Amino acid sequence: MTATIEPSLSDVESAVRDTLAAHKSMYLATSGSDGPWVGGVYFAEADPSTLVLVLEERGRTLAAVRANPEVAVVVSTGSPMNPFLQARATAEVVEGDEDARVREVLVAKVPEAAPFLATPVRAVRLTVTSWRVTDLVKGWLPGKDFTA
């Protein structure tokens, strides 16, 4: 009989933090008046429960966020053999000093995002309550949950 060893909470949290740190972009799924939509976005993490990004001011993704702030994210290389994250989050368009901070944090992690900041974009903060981390190499299928 083979015993299954469950990962510790710190193992799962480390996997979430490491995966976030290893990626500059993610997929953001929204659902607005035009229906469901998925787009790729650059992001930076303030902590495991807070991600920041910018969206085109006149884009479909921002319109969907404004209509329905409940979103989903996938942080992945695109290969199921690499660790990947999934989560639901609440999106909030931010203004003023917080807008400036989002832009600063984003460019610090993703310098190539700087040209986007000169275009009509809005800063957005995502609040994640729980992550699902899947790592097939570690045998984490189904994925392991981490409450941020």
Side-chain angles (χ1 to χ4, degrees):
M1 184 160 99
T2 304
T4 301
I5 299 173
E6 284 296 312
S8 70
L9 181 59
S10 63
D11 290 339
V12 177
E13 180 179 3
S14 291
V16 169
R17 288 181 181 277
D18 292 348
T19 304
L20 288 172
H23 292 271
K24 294 180 177 185
S25 64
M26 66 179 180
Y27 297 102
L28 177 66
T30 60
S31 183
S33 60
D34 286 342
W37 187 251
V38 177
V41 296
Y42 287 125
F43 78 95
E45 65 280 9
D47 56 59
S49 66
T50 309
L51 307 179
V52 296
L53 53 110
V54 295
L55 297 174
E56 294 175 65
E57 196 168 279
R58 294 178 300 273
R60 184 176 193 172
T61 304
L62 183 60
V65 162
R66 286 185 166 137
N68 179 4
E70 298 305 312
V71 301
V73 301
V74 175
V75 180
S76 172
T77 64
S79 169
M81 292 310 294
N82 295 321
F84 62 93
L85 304 175
Q86 297 168 284
R88 290 183 181 171
T90 303
E92 180 183 0
V93 177
V94 297
E95 308 281 340
D97 290 343
E98 194 164 359
D99 174 279
R101 180 74 181 135
V102 164
R103 292 167 185 258
E104 178 183 309
V105 169
L106 183 62
V107 172
K109 179 176 181 178
V110 190
E112 58 270 34
F116 291 108
L117 303 183
T119 67
V121 294
R122 300 300 303 264
V124 176
R125 178 182 59 236
L126 301 183
T127 302
V128 176
T129 55
S130 180
W131 287 101
R132 165 72 51 106
V133 57
T134 303
D135 188 331
L136 296 180
V137 173
K138 292 181 179 176
W140 294 1
L141 184 67
K144 304 303 175 191
D145 293 321
F146 173 70
T147 301

